[in-house]
Amino acid sequence: MDQTAATAQTLDLHRLELRYVELRVPDTAAITRLAQSIAVNGQLVPCIA
């Protein structure tokens, strides 16, 4: 198992780099499955960005 310690940080949303946002292709089915999984099971894995 990975022993790397995870730390939480606060991020100001206005500082996100949106240069390539128009190239993203949304997968609505995957987003729906993810939302349903989180609603049922909660967040299982910490979000790392």
Side-chain angles (χ1 to χ4, degrees), residues 12-33:
D12 294 327
L13 295 179
H14 71 277
R15 297 188 66 180
L16 290 176
E17 179 62 59
L18 300 176
R19 184 180 337 183
Y20 301 109
V21 71
E22 67 276 356
L23 298 176
R24 295 181 185 169
V25 178
D27 184 349
T28 54
I31 294 169
T32 301
R33 287 193 309 272

